[in-house]
Amino acid sequence: MNRRPTLLAALALTAATALTLTACGGDDEGSAKDKDSDKIAGADTGGEKSAPPSESAPATEGRPKIELPSDISYTFDWSKTGDKEKDAILADSEESIKAVHLAMANQDALDAAYLYYHEGEAAAGAEKFIQAYVKEEARVTGAYRYYNASVNVSDDNAGSLVYCEDQGKAYDMFLKDEKVNKTPVTKNSYVLYNTRLQKNDKGVWVVTKLLSQRGSDRCQPSA
């Protein structure tokens, strides 16, 4: 989770670096080095209306309901694989991404939703990252796109997901005056994520470790 910085740069850099941990490679590019870790981002203006919860999340008792402000939108350009566990990883990962943004919107670094989808080092890193936004009374806004997903599952209920994030239309918003910090699209608007997941006793694929690489060649749009 990182973005081109301005006011929140120093705080978010510390938080995002905490998220760049050792991740599993599987059939993907393997470990990537953290590059320019700054902060997440989102779209234009805030609103009281909430977006509907994702329809992709599997039905699990106790699963948190994630309703985000209507100015935050998501496109997940990855298709189902036909494999039950791989598809569950994709669905739970969608929710884990949204849950972090929800914590920012709620201004709660211990928000229950992201803690439901994150454990261990990933949870600790996400808490620091969210707290940077809470301290500055800011959150994300905008349109996010996720693509180029590669998912793997092992026999011990462990898995990995590597994917790209397009932050070109995602920005930071300060809550006091709803001022949006719009930034130009550059190579660094595209971020590669490498996550390690574990299936817990509730059957949920939780993120345990996460690594990111800003400006990755793998994520750049086609010419």
Side-chain angles (χ1 to χ4, degrees):
M1 300 173 195
N2 41 82
R3 180 158 186 83
R4 307 175 296 289
T6 51
L7 177 61
L8 300 183
L11 293 174
L13 175 61
T14 301
T17 300
L19 287 176
T20 42
L21 308 166
T22 305
C24 50
D27 296 331
D28 308 296
E29 293 185 4
S31 62
K33 292 183 179 179
D34 178 36
K35 181 180 180 182
D36 237 326
S37 291
D38 319 296
K39 45 192 223 123
I40 307 188
D44 283 325
T45 64
E48 294 302 320
K49 229 174 156 183
S50 294
S54 171
E55 296 179 357
S56 60
T60 301
E61 186 176 354
R63 186 179 291 271
K65 188 175 183 179
I66 298 179
E67 293 186 328
L68 286 149
S70 59
D71 57 285
I72 307 175
S73 65
Y74 303 86
T75 300
F76 293 96
D77 284 335
W78 50 48
S79 303
K80 290 187 176 181
T81 67
D83 180 277
K84 180 181 177 181
E85 295 301 342
K86 288 183 178 181
D87 289 342
I89 286 177
L90 291 173
D92 285 342
S93 293
E94 290 181 16
E95 297 303 291
S96 70
I97 290 168
K98 294 177 182 179
V100 171
H101 292 178
L102 178 64
M104 293 178 184
N106 289 340
Q107 291 286 280
D108 185 359
L110 294 176
D111 194 71
Y114 91 83
L115 290 173
Y116 185 89
Y117 290 104
H118 294 77
E119 291 183 358
E121 295 173 78
E127 180 183 347
K128 292 179 182 178
F129 180 75
I130 296 162
Q131 184 58 42
Y133 277 82
V134 173
K135 184 176 180 180
E136 295 299 321
E137 297 184 12
R139 67 167 173 85
V140 298
T141 180
Y144 288 88
R145 185 172 72 91
Y146 299 91
Y147 55 102
N148 286 0
S150 179
V151 58
N152 291 281
V153 180
S154 64
D155 294 334
D156 57 349
N157 284 329
S160 66
L161 175 62
V162 178
Y163 62 93
C164 294
E165 178 186 59
D166 178 355
Q167 298 178 348
K169 296 180 180 178
Y171 314 100
D172 293 309
M173 182 174 75
F174 296 90
L175 299 176
K176 186 175 182 179
D177 55 6
E178 294 192 346
K179 181 180 179 180
V180 177
N181 179 34
K182 289 195 173 183
T183 50
V185 176
T186 69
K187 178 180 180 180
N188 286 338
S189 302
Y190 306 94
V191 186
L192 176 69
Y193 291 94
N194 191 336
T195 64
R196 177 177 294 173
L197 305 98
Q198 189 73 38
K199 188 177 181 180
N200 65 18
D201 56 5
K202 296 179 182 178
V204 178
W205 285 94
V206 297
V207 181
T208 58
K209 294 186 178 182
L210 183 152
L211 182 148
S212 63
Q213 182 184 2
R214 178 168 295 288
S216 169
D217 289 340
R218 169 173 171 157
C219 299
Q220 298 304 310
S222 302

